Amino acid sequence: MVEEGFVNVGGIRLYYRLHGEGEPLVVLHGGPGGSLDYLEPLTDLVKMRVQVLLYDQFGCGRSEDPPDESYYTIDYGVEEVEGVRETFFGDRKVFLLGHSYGGALALAYALKYQESLKGLIVSSGLSSVPLTIREMRRLISQLPGHQRRAIEEHGEKGEFDHPDYVEAVSEFYRRHLLRVEPMPEAVKRTFLYTERRKTYRIMNGPNEFTITGTIRNWDVTERLDTIRVPTLITVGKYDEVTPKVAEVIRSKIRGSELVLFERSSHMAMWEERERYIEVLSDFIARTSAKRT
């Protein structure tokens, strides 16, 4: 069973898809500025009696733009998540999964609204943009010399469309964003939406490791020890949001679990789909059983 359409949250029409029945799971896509499309594998959880809610965040995918650029913040995103939860689930507690930037958003939500959560899943997510940038720069230093120099030299000049720079970025993405060829159509759709909309440029910047937008200084690492809900953290061995970033989160959230996907980069839901779904469904089942 799939329900889809638009819902008004905070005066902005948001596109959503609601799959199945069971334990409610709200899913936050990455970007910032992506779309729900690439998270299609998460609908496999329906077979495990999990109800999966996917939606395009403000200014993303098929959803409307906010009234002005003051909305393009993680703080506004948190209020939107709470509005979505209330709209679909009322007073019910939910599981919340955030991937990539969505993981940062999920952490920010938990810091303010953890009483509304049964459990938290941070998938290739981050608690510190500055740390994540440093780790991505370390990965860039491991690229072949000509590609490393292209990123450094053309990036410093702001020549993000230079052919050598574009080729080097593509190699970084092949290693650390998605190790699946050909690229799944659902992932392609997300990338097309990201390019067409302005949210990524406003909040992030020109690419994954050049973060010049509104989130550039965001860091909640030292506040994570206030999170008390059951938490699962997942990361790929070759992830652009590296295992070090994931370990920092694990070390701060008491009792949290960390699972490393040995054959994955940033999109383990595609690279190790079956195991990824098994890990998530096991966490949801165990956490639900403890609460009954």
Side-chain angles (χ1 to χ4, degrees):
M1 181 186 74
V2 181
E3 174 190 328
E4 67 175 319
F6 290 86
V7 62
N8 189 305
V9 175
I12 299 172
R13 290 178 76 242
L14 304 178
Y15 175 75
Y16 74 91
R17 293 179 192 161
L18 184 63
H19 298 258
E21 297 178 347
E23 285 286 356
L25 172 68
V26 178
V27 181
L28 308 177
H29 64 69
S35 73
L36 61 78
D37 299 84
Y38 81 100
L39 294 171
E40 176 185 290
L42 290 171
T43 62
D44 293 353
L45 288 166
V46 168
K47 302 171 187 174
M48 289 75 171
R49 298 289 299 168
V50 176
Q51 186 176 42
V52 180
L53 175 63
L54 306 171
Y55 74 96
D56 290 335
Q57 297 159 30
F58 66 91
C60 299
R62 305 151 189 83
S63 294
E64 287 185 334
D65 286 330
D68 59 68
E69 292 195 5
S70 67
Y71 284 72
Y72 289 84
T73 65
I74 290 181
D75 286 345
Y76 179 75
V78 166
E79 299 310 317
E80 181 177 85
V81 176
E82 176 63 359
V84 167
R85 185 198 63 80
E86 289 181 337
T87 298
F88 285 92
F89 303 108
D91 294 332
R92 294 175 65 194
K93 294 188 176 186
V94 302
F95 285 90
L96 181 65
L97 181 150
H99 175 258
S100 191
Y101 161 77
L105 181 57
L107 287 170
Y109 178 89
L111 286 170
K112 186 170 184 180
Y113 290 112
Q114 63 180 305
E115 70 278 0
S116 296
L117 296 178
K118 290 185 176 182
L120 175 66
I121 303 171
V122 180
S123 184
S124 295
L126 57 143
S127 64
S128 169
V129 171
L131 171 61
T132 303
I133 293 173
R134 290 196 297 272
E135 281 295 283
M136 288 188 185
R137 290 291 170 182
R138 180 177 62 80
L139 296 177
I140 289 171
S141 73
Q142 298 171 2
L143 291 174
H146 68 288
Q147 292 174 336
R148 183 177 69 251
R149 288 191 295 273
I151 288 175
E152 292 170 352
E153 293 171 8
H154 296 296
E156 187 174 335
K157 298 175 183 177
E159 297 172 343
F160 303 118
D161 294 327
H162 192 284
D164 291 344
Y165 185 88
V166 172
E167 191 276 332
V169 171
S170 295
E171 176 59 24
F172 179 90
Y173 288 175
R174 281 192 291 270
R175 293 181 179 209
H176 302 296
L177 187 67
L178 177 63
R179 293 187 163 210
V180 171
E181 293 184 352
M183 181 182 290
E185 290 299 317
V187 179
K188 289 182 182 178
R189 288 196 298 274
T190 286
F191 285 159
L192 284 173
Y193 277 120
T194 305
E195 292 170 7
R196 291 172 185 166
R197 307 298 297 270
K198 60 185 178 181
T199 302
Y200 186 84
R201 293 188 296 277
I202 293 172
M203 296 186 70
N204 191 85
N207 56 51
E208 295 293 272
F209 46 79
T210 307
I211 303 179
T212 56
T214 60
I215 67 169
R216 62 187 179 278
N217 297 317
W218 185 82
D219 189 337
V220 296
T221 305
E222 297 309 314
R223 297 172 55 202
L224 296 182
D225 59 0
T226 63
I227 295 176
R228 292 287 184 266
V229 297
T231 301
L232 170 67
I233 303 149
T234 73
V235 67
K237 181 177 180 179
Y238 307 101
D239 211 314
E240 64 175 18
V241 183
T242 66
K244 179 177 180 178
V245 176
E247 174 56 30
V248 167
I249 299 171
R250 186 212 62 76
S251 70
K252 295 292 185 178
I253 301 179
R254 186 180 306 171
S256 60
E257 307 172 32
L258 174 59
V259 175
L260 176 72
F261 290 91
E262 295 281 352
R263 296 184 287 109
S264 295
S265 57
H266 196 52
M267 296 191 187
M269 71 285 296
W270 289 102
E271 295 158 308
E272 295 182 62
R273 182 168 180 165
E274 185 174 344
R275 180 167 179 250
Y276 184 83
I277 295 300
E278 287 177 354
V279 168
L280 265 56
S281 61
D282 175 68
F283 172 76
I284 292 171
R286 284 188 290 109
T287 303
S288 299
K290 288 177 183 177
R291 299 183 66 90
T292 57

